[in-house]
Amino acid sequence: MQDPVRQSMLARMGIQSWQLRRPALLGAEPAPELEQHTGQTAPASSAPLPSGKLWLLAPSLPATTLLADICQLLGMTPDEVSLLSELPPADLQRADASPLLWLTEANPARPDALICPLAPSAAQKRALWQQLRQHLAASAA
């Protein structure tokens, strides 16, 4: 008998218990994809999504003062900023609680992302504040 929590998680993923048992019932070896889902680990091809409210695609965090100002304006703490080494696919982001994305260079695939280098000039800071105001106005509406 399977754990009910595990069974409900598999059902939400679209994997019913009969799908896991079917290869064994037919006398065949389970498919590698199904073996991954029966264990406690996620498939190796998809990295876990970061948990922060603000995702930053950069080699490091910006200056502490800039990060603190941005987090204060957005109503979060610097601990809620996740540093990314690569951009996750757009379809992997949760639509209901999608985090704000901060890129250091413009990306046409992500038009809603904040665009600002880690060490911005005065003009780039003004552009960032304008983007943040637009984001806050859109989220308030």
Side-chain angles (χ1 to χ4, degrees):
M1 183 78 184
Q2 285 189 358
D3 178 22
V5 174
R6 182 172 182 265
Q7 200 168 11
S8 68
M9 287 175 51
L10 290 172
R12 281 184 286 179
M13 292 171 30
I15 301 172
Q16 301 299 326
S17 60
W18 66 266
Q19 290 174 303
L20 298 174
R21 292 191 318 261
R22 187 167 185 259
L25 293 174
L26 297 175
E29 292 293 318
E33 303 86 34
L34 293 177
E35 286 179 346
Q36 289 178 345
H37 289 299
T38 58
Q40 294 296 325
T41 60
S45 62
S46 65
L49 291 178
S51 60
K53 293 180 181 178
L54 176 64
W55 292 359
L56 172 60
L57 179 63
S60 64
L61 291 173
T64 308
T65 54
L66 177 64
L67 184 61
D69 289 344
I70 291 171
C71 290
Q72 182 180 9
L73 184 65
L74 293 173
M76 64 176 74
T77 65
D79 295 337
E80 295 175 295
V81 177
S82 296
L83 194 61
L84 304 177
S85 58
E86 64 182 27
L87 194 60
D91 59 345
L92 288 182
Q93 289 188 17
R94 299 168 300 201
D96 57 339
S98 183
L100 185 58
L101 185 62
W102 176 359
L103 304 175
T104 55
E105 296 177 358
N107 185 337
R110 302 296 175 99
D112 295 336
L114 297 175
I115 311 297
C116 185
L118 295 180
S121 66
Q124 291 168 326
K125 281 184 184 177
R126 284 191 297 273
L128 176 62
W129 294 125
Q130 183 62 31
Q131 293 174 53
L132 287 168
R133 275 190 230 122
Q134 290 172 352
H135 170 75
L136 292 172
S139 64

